[in-house]
Amino acid sequence: MSETRKLFGTDGIRGVANQDPITVEMALRIGQAAAVAFRNADRRHRVVIGKDTRLSGYMLETALSAGLSSMGVDVLLVGPLPTPGIAFITASMRADAGIVISASHNPFQDNGIKFFAADGFKLPDEREAEIERLIFSDSLTDYRAAPTEIAKAFKIEDARGRYVQFLKNSLPRERTLDGLKIVVDCGHGATYRVAPKVFEELGADVITLGVSPNGRNINEGCGALHPETCAEAVRRHGAQVGIALDGDGDRVIFVDETGEVVDGDEIMAVFATHLMKRGKLKHNTLVTTVMSNMGLDLCIREAGGRVEKTAVGDRYVVERMRRGGFNVGGEQSGHLVFLDWATTGDGICSALQLVNVMLERRKPLSELKKVMTRLPQVLLNAEVGEKRPLETLPAVQKVIREVEHRLGDKGRVLVRYSGTENKVRVMLEGEHEDAIRADAQAILDVIVTTLGAPV
């Protein structure tokens, strides 16, 4: 990604609501710039806008709508809907683009704006760069619509129902979830209406958590960020599986029937090996990121497959999958991508596919996850005052080299900045957790000392 980018990060534009760049004024210009960028013919254009449950979503939705309408682009409002649902609606309604108002796993004070193209896939870097250039262009207002061409906003009342049906269709038609008890934690986010409905209509006995959003409680002590809440409910109710979704519904973390948390790496191991045995993992290849545990690589290799690695971010996973003709990929954090069914990470769709594997194999998740043995892994984060290129920091490079020398070929070091926050992340894998935790802390301490704490 270009170092000159001012707005777009790993996953759209993010920040604190009502502070630059997540302001009404900027949202208005983003809407206007998007309208110009997505025009491709002399006809009426349409853009879908959806959001999660954050309080600031109403404000940003109105500003974006105004910006698009002022440029002669009609707006299709779907209200609170998971990010993958907005991607689906964008493609199915033949809209020119989709806009999601969400900061995903961040606290409610934050918000963000991200885009989908007409085909339901996230925009490549160059398209985001085009929108950013237009946002800061002095000539943006030259594209305003004539008074007779100002556009309108329409509410799409059946968007939720369309998405529910799409999700149910991702399972074999004869499959039901009768007799299955499932805990579904929606994190008070965008899935709070959709997810319970999908599993209930398929016949499951559903225990719901996090389905009372108030604009401020999204991700608070629940959902994919806090799967321990789901785990406790699984144990208390004797459920077969727990499903913990994040605020915008594109990530999912699972809990097995014993109450143990199962992350994205273990789930990818289950899916990839299951599909390989059936000849359905394209090119016998799984796509994941550099953050995935080395145990996943070993698992796939032993099963006769291969793993391709990308930079962190589900959009980069999807881009590699499309280029290589692969159909399964994801991230340790719970972004799971099945291009046979969806164009982006979809927590509910992923949960349906996992339940389908459990029923087809007639095995509980605690047994299925044993296909992979993870190496001890430690991930530490810290806020920093600035994000200078790590390779230009001699003291940081020195301590990294020292740790890498100690680990040899029995571990690895990965240091990177967050794409959405002023944080640095230090990840180590090795044979002994206590040792790698100490090494990770040593690296983090040098980075914070070098870059300073945030003001």
Side-chain angles (χ1 to χ4, degrees), residues 343-366:
T343 59
T344 188
D346 190 322
I348 303 173
C349 181
S350 300
L352 288 170
Q353 305 315 311
L354 178 65
V355 170
N356 190 48
V357 173
M358 290 169 57
L359 293 173
E360 185 176 329
R361 298 275 294 276
R362 298 183 180 181
K363 287 184 179 181
L365 182 53
S366 63

Side-chain angles (χ1 to χ4, degrees), residues 83-98 100 115-123 314 318 322 339 342-345:
T83 287
I86 296 161
F88 163 72
I89 292 294
T90 298
S92 69
M93 294 197 68
R94 310 296 195 271
D96 296 283
V100 181
F115 294 89
F116 287 104
D119 57 5
F121 286 96
K122 289 183 179 178
L123 299 185
D314 65 307
V318 173
R322 296 180 75 188
L339 288 188
T343 59
T344 188

